[in-house]
């Protein structure tokens, strides 16, 4: 099976070729087999199943009932309605149950075909594989299946009140209640210091859900429309509302991509872990009082047996002061996020076919979801708050949890604001021409655009307000123009002189921010690897492009520093004058961090590592990409065959001028993120290194591609 010709499990062998008894009965199929230099266990290819493949979700039953009643009474138009929904999310990951086996070399005595450390000769990883001598293993223990359910109930009443023929008032009120998400088998945990640390759903102190119900979600709405002249040519409209958001199961089951740890989940809170380290197969003398043991357990080579049963029985999870566990937590008093919307606009019709609308649109988001490490190391003391000697532990001995490392807590600390001026000029079809031109000047600010599930964390968990800055999606200027012109036609000549249309779409937008997060170094000592650096100069100097921002390294070495930049297109490394490094030494706060991390120089601006034990002074999202400019053009030709049959031939050109577009280094839109880490990726830092379509994994047809030409034929009958 899986390219190996055969497979054995604990229940026996099936097939021929390569019998392998993994000892795992929960899931069939080969484990991930990693042979260094050949296959990567975390990739999508190699021996055995790829990472997170296959996985199963479902059946995810969902039903929704809603209805409303309308009633006219004089100048009032009432509407009353309600809704009830039941949601279930089922998740089960299979491949991680199969285990992972690594062959990294230096395991087979007598074989010396590969170079080892300090000039020694060792066995090669491939030789170890054929000899059946693995280096280490990993096995997921515990029950992976989770069934999460919740309900949503809402009701509303609204009134459209025509006070005067020229003035209408809109009033409404909605109430919604979303029950806390509940895991059907109580296989969710949490970290609550006041309840003794790690707790599990279903325990008397926790109850049926880990989050308390939120009953205060009232949504008022008000608006009006005023015909100023009574002729319908000038209308003023305004409105305001409060709209509540909703949670999704993925927020709690798959917090991935955080800088401090690869993944955390409420499903894997180790309430059933052992309080002491015990040998594999030895019963645990004491757990943390729960039953969740859903985690990947490392198994040393001495406990693996390739020729018999690969994985030993009885592997378990332990959390100790010398081997602490990391957990995801959620504020038990979590509130429902909401957004306040408000707008005021004026629309004026110059003619029957030409109108202009100008307005103000704003929003304010509050109680938004964010993630912070509540156990972040204090750079001053070097201690974690809940660890031995930490601030929380010292203040209350009941708050000492030295067996925990990262405690990534979901809470309502995030907020956002958006203000904009929007203008739209619309020409309806006349003389064969119609167009819409729109311009928006806006500014969006927040303290964690993508922090809900995939975003970066605050560098200082005790000062999340310092993250408040331009949001990841902030675009100050955006202009769009769409038009269609039907060319005058002439009968005859086989319809070749009639039915022609030309169309165009123009999109222009100013630059988006790209953030900086050092995931390689830990200059602050906070342990979260979410540091920013110190910046000196003008942020406009660090505009992203097709090459990396000049990087200088080698400070304090005999040869002195060198400076380079690398092309994201050709990969060519260009040597730059070493005099650039003098700009770094002139402003860098500490020689030791400068020697370790290097620095970046562009124009008269410098990005340098902060002093040890301090957070970087640069703000979030201070750098910008190169913006977006695109023109599309198309020609349509219509044919008519009798009354019921028509055809349209299309010739479409996307990015007609073949204008080069470069992806955002951080990739807030396309999830690229390859050029925003100054610590581990100096050769790509500040480089988009791809067009947006390629960076987003959607080449050719994705937004931002090179010139594409498309031919199409549409038949209508």
């Amino acid at each position: 099976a899986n390219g190996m010709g055969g497979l054995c499990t604990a229940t026996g062998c099936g097939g021929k070729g390569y019998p392998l008894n993994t000892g795992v009965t929960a899931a069939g199929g080969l484990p991930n087999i990693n042979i260094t230099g050949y296959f990567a266990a975390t990739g999508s290819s190699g021996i055995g199943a790829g990472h997170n493949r296959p996985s199963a979700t479902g059946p995810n039953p969902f039903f929704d009932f809603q209805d409303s009643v309308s009633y006219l009474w004089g100048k009032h138009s009432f509407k009353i309605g309600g809704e009830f929904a039941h949601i279930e999310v089922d998740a089960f990951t299979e491949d991680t149950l199969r285990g992972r086996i690594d062959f990294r070399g230096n395991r087979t005595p007598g074989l010396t075909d590969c170079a080892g450390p300090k000039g020694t000769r060792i066995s090669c990883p491939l030789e170890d594989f054929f000899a059946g001598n693995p280096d280490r293993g990993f096995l997921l223990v515990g029950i992976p299946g989770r069934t999460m359910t919740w309900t949503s109930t809402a009701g509303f009443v609204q009134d459209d009140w025509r006070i005067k023929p020229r003035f209408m008032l809109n009033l409404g009120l909605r109430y919604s209640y979303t029950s806390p998400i509940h895991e059907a088998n109580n296989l969710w945990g949490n970290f609550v210091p006041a309840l003794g640390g790690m707790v599990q759903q279903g325990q008397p102190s926790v109850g049926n859900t880990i989050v308390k119900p939120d009953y205060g979600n009232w949504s008022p709405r008000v608006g009006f429309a005023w015909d100023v002249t009574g002729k319908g040519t000038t209308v003023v409209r305004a409105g305001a509302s409060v709209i509540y958001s909703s949670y999704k199961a993925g927020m709690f089951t798959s917090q991935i991509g955080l800088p401090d740890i690869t993944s955390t989940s409420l499903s894997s809170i180790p309430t059933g872990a052992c309080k002491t380290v015990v040998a594999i197969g030895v019963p645990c003398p004491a757990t943390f009082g729960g039953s969740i043991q859903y985690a990947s357990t490392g198994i040393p080579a001495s406990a693996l047996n390739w020729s018999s049963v690969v994985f030993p029985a009885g592997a378990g999870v332990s959390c100790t002061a010398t081997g602490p566990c990391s957990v995801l937590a959620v504020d038990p008093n979590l509130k429902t996020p909401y957004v306040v919307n408000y707008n005021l606009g004026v629309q004026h019709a110059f003619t029957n076919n030409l109108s202009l609308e100008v307005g103000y649109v704003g929003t304010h988001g509050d109680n938004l979801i964010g993630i912070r490490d509540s156990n972040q190391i204090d750079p001053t003391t070097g201690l974690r708050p809940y660890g031995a000697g930490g601030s929380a532990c010292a203040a209350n001995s009941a708050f000492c949890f030295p067996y925990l490392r990262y405690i990534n807590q979901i809470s309502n600390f995030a907020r956002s604001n958006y203000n904009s001026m929007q203008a739209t000029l619309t020409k309806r079809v006349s003389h064969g021409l119609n167009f819409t031109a729109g311009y928006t000047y806006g500014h969006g600010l927040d303290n964690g655009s993508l922090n809900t599930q995939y975003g970066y964390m605050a560098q200082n968990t005790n000062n999340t307000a310092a993250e408040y800055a331009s949001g990841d999606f902030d675009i100050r200027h955006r202009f769009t123009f769409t038009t269609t012109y039907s060319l005058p036609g002439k009968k005859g000549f086989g319809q070749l002189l009639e039915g022609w249309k030309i169309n165009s779409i123009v999109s222009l937008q100013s630059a988006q921010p790209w953030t900086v997060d050092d995931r390689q170094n830990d200059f602050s000592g906070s342990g979260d690897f979410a540091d920013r650096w110190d910046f000196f100069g003008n942020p406009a100097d660090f505009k992203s492009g097709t090459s990396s921002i000049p990087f200088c390294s080698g400070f304090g070495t005999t040869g002195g520093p060198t400076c380079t930049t690398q092309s994201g297109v050709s990969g060519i490394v260009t040597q730059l004058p070493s005099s650039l490094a003098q700009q770094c030494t002139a402003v860098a706060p500490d020689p030791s961090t400068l020697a370790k991390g290097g620095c970046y120089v562009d124009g008269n601006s410098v990005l340098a590592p902060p002093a040890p034990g301090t957070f970087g002074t640069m703000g979030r999202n201070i750098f910008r990409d190169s913006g977006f400019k695109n023109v599309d053009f198309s020609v349509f030709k219509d044919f008519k065959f009798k009354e019921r049959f028509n055809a349209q031939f299309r010739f479409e050109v996307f990015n007609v001028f073949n204008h080069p577009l470069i992806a955002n280094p951080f990739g807030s839109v396309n999830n690229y993120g390859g050029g925003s880490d100054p610590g581990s990726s100096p050769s790509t830092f500040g480089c988009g290194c791809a067009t947006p379509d390629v960076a987003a994994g959607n080449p050719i047809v994705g937004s931002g591609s090179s010139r594409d030409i498309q031919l199409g034929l549409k038949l209508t009958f």
Side-chain angles (χ1 to χ4, degrees), residues 37-269:
Y38 295 89
F39 303 118
T42 57
S44 59
S45 62
I47 301 177
H51 181 59
N52 286 336
R53 298 293 185 272
S55 61
T57 58
N60 298 338
F62 170 88
F63 67 82
D64 178 86
F65 173 81
Q66 53 183 298
D67 201 359
S68 61
V69 176
S70 298
Y71 181 73
L72 296 176
W73 182 53
K75 297 180 179 181
H76 298 270
S77 176
F78 293 104
K79 189 173 184 179
I80 301 174
E83 177 183 16
F84 177 79
H86 180 275
I87 308 103
E88 178 177 320
V89 175
D90 303 292
F92 183 90
T93 302
E94 296 177 356
D95 75 297
T96 46
L97 286 172
R98 301 175 180 181
R100 167 181 160 187
I101 304 170
D102 290 350
F103 293 88
R104 300 189 298 174
N106 197 28
R107 287 289 304 161
T108 306
L111 296 179
T112 57
D113 293 322
C114 281
K118 297 181 180 180
T120 60
R121 305 295 298 179
I122 61 174
S123 58
C124 298
L126 188 61
E127 291 176 325
D128 289 346
F129 171 70
F130 285 120
N133 290 322
D135 178 67
R136 63 181 181 180
F138 297 90
L139 184 64
L140 189 72
V141 299
I143 302 173
R146 296 293 185 270
T147 299
M148 294 145 285
T149 62
W150 66 99
T151 61
S152 176
T153 306
F156 72 90
V157 57
Q158 70 179 49
D159 177 22
D160 297 330
W161 181 13
R162 187 173 290 277
I163 300 177
K164 297 289 184 180
R166 294 164 45 189
F167 188 87
M168 175 176 282
L169 181 65
N170 310 105
L171 300 171
L173 181 64
R174 176 185 175 93
Y175 176 76
S176 58
Y177 169 70
T178 300
S179 66
I181 299 179
H182 166 78
E183 205 291 314
N185 299 301
N186 288 330
L187 293 177
W188 263 16
N190 199 7
F191 171 77
V192 184
L195 299 180
M198 292 190 297
V199 294
Q200 187 170 336
Q201 180 188 302
Q203 293 175 338
S205 60
V206 179
N208 195 42
T209 60
I210 61 172
V211 176
K212 298 177 182 178
D214 183 7
Y215 296 108
N217 300 340
W218 293 92
S219 302
R221 306 182 185 189
V222 61
F224 72 85
W226 175 37
D227 182 355
V228 179
T229 63
K231 301 177 181 179
T233 57
T234 304
V235 180
V236 178
R237 298 181 178 89
S241 67
V242 176
I243 297 178
Y244 283 86
S245 181
S246 60
Y247 303 128
K248 60 179 182 178
M251 291 167 47
F252 307 110
T253 61
S254 56
Q255 281 295 344
I256 58 178
L258 296 176
D260 55 8
I261 188 170
T262 303
S263 177
T264 51
S265 169
L266 297 184
S267 301
S268 57
I269 303 288

Side-chain angles (χ1 to χ4, degrees), residues 66 70 114 175 210 276 307 338 376 417 504 507 517 533 568-569 598:
Q66 53 183 298
S70 298
C114 281
Y175 176 76
I210 61 172
T276 58
S307 60
Y338 67 89
Q376 184 184 70
N417 285 289
S504 183
S507 300
D517 217 9
W533 289 13
V569 178

Side-chain angles (χ1 to χ4, degrees), residues 175-528:
Y175 176 76
S176 58
Y177 169 70
T178 300
S179 66
I181 299 179
H182 166 78
E183 205 291 314
N185 299 301
N186 288 330
L187 293 177
W188 263 16
N190 199 7
F191 171 77
V192 184
L195 299 180
M198 292 190 297
V199 294
Q200 187 170 336
Q201 180 188 302
Q203 293 175 338
S205 60
V206 179
N208 195 42
T209 60
I210 61 172
V211 176
K212 298 177 182 178
D214 183 7
Y215 296 108
N217 300 340
W218 293 92
S219 302
R221 306 182 185 189
V222 61
F224 72 85
W226 175 37
D227 182 355
V228 179
T229 63
K231 301 177 181 179
T233 57
T234 304
V235 180
V236 178
R237 298 181 178 89
S241 67
V242 176
I243 297 178
Y244 283 86
S245 181
S246 60
Y247 303 128
K248 60 179 182 178
M251 291 167 47
F252 307 110
T253 61
S254 56
Q255 281 295 344
I256 58 178
L258 296 176
D260 55 8
I261 188 170
T262 303
S263 177
T264 51
S265 169
L266 297 184
S267 301
S268 57
I269 303 288
T271 59
C274 191
K275 292 184 176 181
T276 58
V277 178
V278 296
I280 295 175
V282 176
C284 177
T287 69
F288 290 93
S291 59
I292 301 176
Q293 265 207 31
Y294 180 44
S296 179
T297 302
I299 302 174
S302 58
L304 300 173
N305 191 333
W306 189 258
S307 60
S308 179
V309 179
V310 178
F311 292 110
V317 179
S318 64
C319 299
T320 64
T322 55
C325 296
S326 295
V327 297
L328 180 70
V330 59
D331 183 354
N333 298 306
L334 195 70
K335 300 298 182 182
T336 306
Y338 67 89
V339 177
V340 182
N341 305 269
Y342 30 86
N343 63 82
L344 173 64
V346 179
Q347 184 180 40
H348 178 73
F350 298 100
T351 67
N352 291 335
N353 301 311
L354 183 65
S355 63
L356 174 66
E357 184 173 2
V358 178
Y360 162 79
V361 177
T363 67
H364 169 72
D366 212 340
N367 280 347
L368 304 181
I369 300 299
I371 300 177
R372 53 183 290 271
D373 179 11
S374 60
N375 203 29
Q376 184 184 70
I377 297 174
D378 184 341
T380 303
T381 64
L383 302 173
R384 296 188 181 275
Y386 294 109
S391 56
C393 179
N396 188 340
S397 60
F399 288 178
C400 294
F401 311 105
Y403 53 84
L404 294 178
R405 189 181 183 189
Y406 302 118
I407 305 174
N408 295 329
Q409 186 189 48
I410 298 174
S411 61
N412 294 113
F413 71 79
R415 61 190 178 98
S416 68
N417 285 289
Y418 174 75
N419 295 279
S420 69
M421 187 280 289
Q422 302 179 7
T424 304
L425 181 65
T426 303
K427 184 186 183 305
R428 297 163 187 84
V429 179
S430 64
H431 305 291
L433 175 67
N434 70 282
F435 65 80
T436 301
Y439 170 73
T440 298
Y441 172 72
H443 190 192
L445 301 103
D446 57 50
N447 60 343
S449 301
L450 296 177
N451 195 250
T452 303
Q453 189 173 359
Y454 302 102
Y456 289 12
M457 299 175 68
Q459 64 169 351
N460 184 355
T461 193
N462 296 310
N463 188 14
T464 57
E467 303 297 303
Y468 188 75
S470 295
D472 295 349
F473 308 102
D474 177 49
I475 300 174
R476 300 295 176 87
H477 304 275
R478 179 172 175 82
F479 173 79
T480 60
F481 180 79
T482 63
T483 184
T484 296
Y485 179 57
S486 298
L487 299 174
K490 184 177 182 180
K491 299 290 184 181
F493 303 99
Q495 301 186 29
L496 292 179
L497 299 181
E498 60 179 320
W500 291 92
K501 292 181 180 179
I502 57 175
N503 317 276
S504 183
I505 302 175
V506 179
S507 300
L508 306 173
Q509 70 182 40
S510 59
Q512 272 186 268
W514 56 278
T515 192
V516 172
D517 217 9
D518 185 352
R519 299 196 172 198
Q520 175 68 27
N521 305 291
D522 184 24
F523 294 123
S524 68
S526 67
D528 280 343

Side-chain angles (χ1 to χ4, degrees), residues 535-538 541-542 580 583 587 600-607:
F535 182 76
F536 308 89
N538 184 359
D541 289 339
F542 274 55
L580 289 175
Q583 296 180 237
V587 297
Y600 295 87
V601 184
D602 207 346
N604 295 318
S605 301
V606 174
L607 182 68

